[in-house]
Amino acid sequence: MKKRVATAMTAAGLIVLLAGLLVYGLGVHELLPVPRPAFLAAGTTLIGVLLIVWGACDLFIKKTREIEIEEKDERNITIANAAMASGFKVMSLTVAIAVTALSFAGSMDAVTCFVMIGAYVIGQIVFIIRIYQLNKKM
């Protein structure tokens, strides 16, 4: 199952990469109704390469038995969860500061601002719901 997902991810990355380069190579990117057509090729290339590398790593890197045991170790899982919690706190603060600074500086239009605020609020709501569920469960 994991091999199928990695193969599909690699194939999707290749398709996205080639489609982006083809659109750019044919000059169609300037005809598309996007605000910044030059970023279309760069964005699809980046996404395609990331998907290819991620899928290829899953396909070709074999895990030893020791690595699998270490990944399932409760201490390592607890450490990883604590690190993610700290990262979430820092990310929440920096996203809020960045959205505020960019919107007041005039570098962000209203749609982008509301999308970023919406993503921030969804993250905070999920955090609150998860805290409630864990407090009720434990």
Side-chain angles (χ1 to χ4, degrees):
M1 180 68 178
K2 188 174 181 181
K3 191 170 183 171
R4 280 191 220 168
V5 172
T7 305
M9 190 180 309
T10 305
L14 190 61
I15 291 169
V16 168
L17 174 67
L18 292 176
L21 293 177
L22 182 67
V23 165
Y24 183 75
L26 295 176
V28 180
H29 68 286
E30 294 179 9
L31 302 174
L32 296 173
V34 291
R36 296 183 182 152
F39 288 147
L40 186 66
T44 55
T45 301
L46 178 66
I47 292 169
V49 168
L50 288 174
L51 286 171
I52 290 170
V53 169
W54 193 359
C57 285
D58 283 347
L59 279 175
F60 298 120
I61 295 177
K62 303 291 182 198
K63 292 183 181 179
T64 63
R65 179 85 172 132
E66 296 158 356
I67 292 174
E68 288 179 10
I69 291 172
E70 185 135 340
E71 284 179 352
K72 294 178 184 175
D73 184 29
E74 288 182 26
R75 179 178 176 271
N76 291 335
I77 292 171
T78 304
I79 290 171
N81 287 340
M84 283 189 281
S86 299
F88 174 76
K89 289 178 185 177
V90 170
M91 184 183 64
S92 294
L93 179 66
T94 56
V95 166
I97 291 171
V99 168
T100 304
L102 289 173
S103 62
F104 284 135
S107 299
M108 187 181 295
D109 62 345
V111 173
T112 309
C113 184
F114 286 130
V115 168
M116 295 294 291
I117 290 171
Y120 180 78
V121 168
I122 289 171
Q124 296 300 318
I125 289 171
V126 169
F127 172 68
I128 291 168
I129 290 171
R130 193 68 181 140
I131 282 181
Y132 174 74
Q133 289 174 339
L134 289 172
N135 280 334
K136 193 174 175 182
K137 184 178 177 182
M138 294 180 171

